[in-house]
PDB file of all heavy atoms in Angstrom:
ATOM      1  N   GLN A 362      96.724  88.757 125.725  1.00 76.00           N
ATOM      2  CA  GLN A 362      96.794  90.142 125.278  1.00 76.00           C
ATOM      3  C   GLN A 362      97.698  90.320 124.140  1.00 76.00           C
ATOM      4  O   GLN A 362      98.687  89.649 124.034  1.00 76.00           O
ATOM      5  CB  GLN A 362      97.173  91.019 126.557  1.00 76.00           C
ATOM      6  CG  GLN A 362      96.345  90.947 127.751  1.00 76.00           C
ATOM      7  CD  GLN A 362      95.054  91.640 127.458  1.00 76.00           C
ATOM      8  OE1 GLN A 362      95.029  92.721 126.780  1.00 76.00           O
ATOM      9  NE2 GLN A 362      93.901  91.013 127.954  1.00 76.00           N
ATOM     10  N   THR A 363      97.325  91.284 123.358  1.00 79.00           N
ATOM     11  CA  THR A 363      98.288  91.737 122.241  1.00 79.00           C
ATOM     12  C   THR A 363      99.534  92.235 122.800  1.00 79.00           C
ATOM     13  O   THR A 363      99.518  92.984 123.760  1.00 79.00           O
ATOM     14  CB  THR A 363      97.573  92.773 121.330  1.00 79.00           C
ATOM     15  OG1 THR A 363      96.359  92.140 120.908  1.00 79.00           O
ATOM     16  CG2 THR A 363      98.387  93.145 120.309  1.00 79.00           C
ATOM     17  N   SER A 364     100.690  91.849 122.234  1.00 85.00           N
ATOM     18  CA  SER A 364     101.942  92.407 122.696  1.00 85.00           C
ATOM     19  C   SER A 364     102.097  93.912 122.568  1.00 85.00           C
ATOM     20  O   SER A 364     101.408  94.478 121.589  1.00 85.00           O
ATOM     21  CB  SER A 364     103.087  91.663 121.898  1.00 85.00           C
ATOM     22  OG  SER A 364     103.086  92.156 120.558  1.00 85.00           O
ATOM     23  N   PRO A 365     102.769  94.578 123.408  1.00 89.00           N
ATOM     24  CA  PRO A 365     102.812  95.948 123.292  1.00 89.00           C
ATOM     25  C   PRO A 365     103.459  96.511 122.062  1.00 89.00           C
ATOM     26  O   PRO A 365     102.931  97.554 121.634  1.00 89.00           O
ATOM     27  CB  PRO A 365     103.807  96.340 124.656  1.00 89.00           C
ATOM     28  CG  PRO A 365     103.869  95.136 125.432  1.00 89.00           C
ATOM     29  CD  PRO A 365     103.479  94.008 124.660  1.00 89.00           C
ATOM     30  N   GLY A 366     104.388  95.766 121.633  1.00 89.00           N
ATOM     31  CA  GLY A 366     104.994  96.286 120.316  1.00 89.00           C
ATOM     32  C   GLY A 366     103.979  96.269 119.146  1.00 89.00           C
ATOM     33  O   GLY A 366     103.992  97.091 118.306  1.00 89.00           O
ATOM     34  N   ARG A 367     103.267  95.141 119.119  1.00 88.00           N
ATOM     35  CA  ARG A 367     102.284  94.884 118.051  1.00 88.00           C
ATOM     36  C   ARG A 367     101.232  95.985 118.128  1.00 88.00           C
ATOM     37  O   ARG A 367     100.736  96.579 117.263  1.00 88.00           O
ATOM     38  CB  ARG A 367     101.657  93.518 118.085  1.00 88.00           C
ATOM     39  CG  ARG A 367     100.681  93.168 117.079  1.00 88.00           C
ATOM     40  CD  ARG A 367     101.396  92.839 115.710  1.00 88.00           C
ATOM     41  NE  ARG A 367     102.259  91.768 115.968  1.00 88.00           N
ATOM     42  CZ  ARG A 367     103.089  91.215 115.083  1.00 88.00           C
ATOM     43  NH1 ARG A 367     103.119  91.817 113.875  1.00 88.00           N
ATOM     44  NH2 ARG A 367     103.839  90.215 115.322  1.00 88.00           N
ATOM     45  N   LEU A 368     100.748  96.229 119.483  1.00 89.00           N
ATOM     46  CA  LEU A 368      99.673  97.151 119.782  1.00 89.00           C
ATOM     47  C   LEU A 368     100.197  98.676 119.355  1.00 89.00           C
ATOM     48  O   LEU A 368      99.443  99.330 118.661  1.00 89.00           O
ATOM     49  CB  LEU A 368      99.238  97.189 121.255  1.00 89.00           C
ATOM     50  CG  LEU A 368      98.236  98.238 121.630  1.00 89.00           C
ATOM     51  CD1 LEU A 368      96.952  97.954 120.872  1.00 89.00           C
ATOM     52  CD2 LEU A 368      97.928  98.088 123.180  1.00 89.00           C
ATOM     53  N   ALA A 369     101.404  98.937 119.685  1.00 92.00           N
ATOM     54  CA  ALA A 369     101.981 100.351 119.349  1.00 92.00           C
ATOM     55  C   ALA A 369     102.033 100.465 117.875  1.00 92.00           C
ATOM     56  O   ALA A 369     101.666 101.535 117.295  1.00 92.00           O
ATOM     57  CB  ALA A 369     103.250 100.530 120.035  1.00 92.00           C
ATOM     58  N   SER A 370     102.493  99.478 117.168  1.00 92.00           N
ATOM     59  CA  SER A 370     102.549  99.516 115.735  1.00 92.00           C
ATOM     60  C   SER A 370     101.245  99.610 115.079  1.00 92.00           C
ATOM     61  O   SER A 370     101.040 100.479 114.097  1.00 92.00           O
ATOM     62  CB  SER A 370     103.265  98.276 115.144  1.00 92.00           C
ATOM     63  OG  SER A 370     104.541  98.037 115.702  1.00 92.00           O
ATOM     64  N   SER A 371     100.335  98.867 115.595  1.00 91.00           N
ATOM     65  CA  SER A 371      98.954  99.014 114.952  1.00 91.00           C
ATOM     66  C   SER A 371      98.309 100.338 115.208  1.00 91.00           C
ATOM     67  O   SER A 371      97.713 100.953 114.349  1.00 91.00           O
ATOM     68  CB  SER A 371      98.069  97.893 115.577  1.00 91.00           C
ATOM     69  OG  SER A 371      96.701  97.963 115.018  1.00 91.00           O
ATOM     70  N   MET A 372      98.480 100.842 116.443  1.00 93.00           N
ATOM     71  CA  MET A 372      97.802 102.161 116.725  1.00 93.00           C
ATOM     72  C   MET A 372      98.544 103.303 115.998  1.00 93.00           C
ATOM     73  O   MET A 372      97.866 104.269 115.586  1.00 93.00           O
ATOM     74  CB  MET A 372      97.916 102.427 118.337  1.00 93.00           C
ATOM     75  CG  MET A 372      97.042 101.509 119.081  1.00 93.00           C
ATOM     76  SD  MET A 372      95.275 101.790 118.660  1.00 93.00           S
ATOM     77  CE  MET A 372      94.909 100.343 117.590  1.00 93.00           C
ATOM     78  N   ALA A 373      99.844 103.141 115.729  1.00 95.00           N
ATOM     79  CA  ALA A 373     100.583 104.165 114.922  1.00 95.00           C
ATOM     80  C   ALA A 373      99.847 104.222 113.496  1.00 95.00           C
ATOM     81  O   ALA A 373      99.748 105.315 112.965  1.00 95.00           O
ATOM     82  CB  ALA A 373     102.031 103.889 114.837  1.00 95.00           C
TER      83      ALA A 373
END
Side-chain angles (χ1 to χ4, degrees):
Q362 298 293 319
T363 300
S364 67
R367 185 79 59 189
L368 180 62
S370 299
S371 179
M372 289 298 102

